Amino acid sequence: PDFRKHGAFFTAFVEGWGLYSERLGIEMDLYDTPAKNMGRLSYEMWRACRLVVDTGIHSKGWSKQQAIDFMTDNTALSTANIEAEVNRYISWPGQALAYKMGELKIRELRAKATSELGNKFDLRDFHDVVLGQGAVPLDMLEAQVNRWIETTKAN
């Protein structure tokens, strides 16, 4: 429907799927050299630092310089990247948290489906359910996955 095509952008879902799908690379052995895995870990550290910076600025009252110093000490980003990141989180409170919440919810739903369905669990079907309705709020995603689990169990 049009309201879905032109409506809200659900950061937790969209960015959460991005983070979740990056982890699929681990399962698929895509990070098959130490250098590739180091790159993955570097990005993971960068995202963890985003959470700290977002919280530091908006909850702990950090100055821009404190946030820059934290990212300089804890990431492999360039000075220009760090400044851009800090500016982003100054102007967009909670975005870093939304990313991670989305990833964690999708991982939680996958673990639940895996546990409840046992040998009936199919990863491709799970991904179809997660992506099938497009970007949705996380509570709607959870309801979709729960319905799929119950339907799959019943069959």
Side-chain angles (χ1 to χ4, degrees):
D2 283 341
F3 80 92
R4 293 290 305 278
K5 292 179 191 171
H6 310 292
F9 179 83
F10 297 105
T11 298
F13 179 94
V14 173
E15 301 292 355
W17 173 260
L19 290 182
Y20 167 82
S21 63
E22 283 182 13
R23 292 189 64 84
L24 294 174
I26 298 169
E27 296 173 32
M28 298 168 61
D29 293 324
L30 295 180
Y31 308 110
D32 56 356
T33 67
K36 288 178 186 176
N37 198 42
M38 185 62 188
R40 182 190 69 76
L41 290 170
S42 176
Y43 276 107
E44 201 166 314
M45 184 64 174
W46 171 22
R47 290 194 187 94
C49 287
R50 285 176 168 176
L51 292 169
V52 174
V53 165
D54 194 359
T55 304
I57 291 168
H58 298 290
S59 179
K60 302 293 184 185
W62 282 11
S63 68
K64 179 178 178 179
Q65 191 58 52
Q66 283 175 293
I68 289 171
D69 291 345
F70 179 84
M71 288 196 86
T72 300
D73 291 345
N74 294 286
T75 70
L77 296 172
S78 70
T79 303
N81 285 118
I82 289 170
E83 186 137 346
E85 282 292 303
V86 169
N87 287 337
R88 177 182 181 179
Y89 289 102
I90 286 172
S91 65
W92 200 349
Q95 194 211 13
L97 179 59
Y99 274 49
K100 199 64 179 174
M101 284 177 57
E103 176 201 5
L104 293 174
K105 176 54 77 175
I106 295 168
R107 289 174 58 194
E108 170 194 312
L109 293 171
R110 178 177 165 178
K112 177 181 181 181
T114 301
S115 173
E116 290 193 25
L117 295 176
N119 63 1
K120 287 185 172 184
F121 178 78
D122 183 294
L123 185 58
R124 292 168 298 185
D125 290 345
F126 173 77
H127 289 160
D128 286 348
V129 169
V130 170
L131 297 173
Q133 298 299 313
V136 295
L138 296 181
D139 60 339
M140 288 182 68
L141 176 63
E142 185 167 15
Q144 288 170 200
V145 171
N146 286 337
R147 277 192 304 275
W148 171 72
I149 291 169
E150 292 310 313
T151 300
T152 303
K153 280 178 172 178
N155 292 333

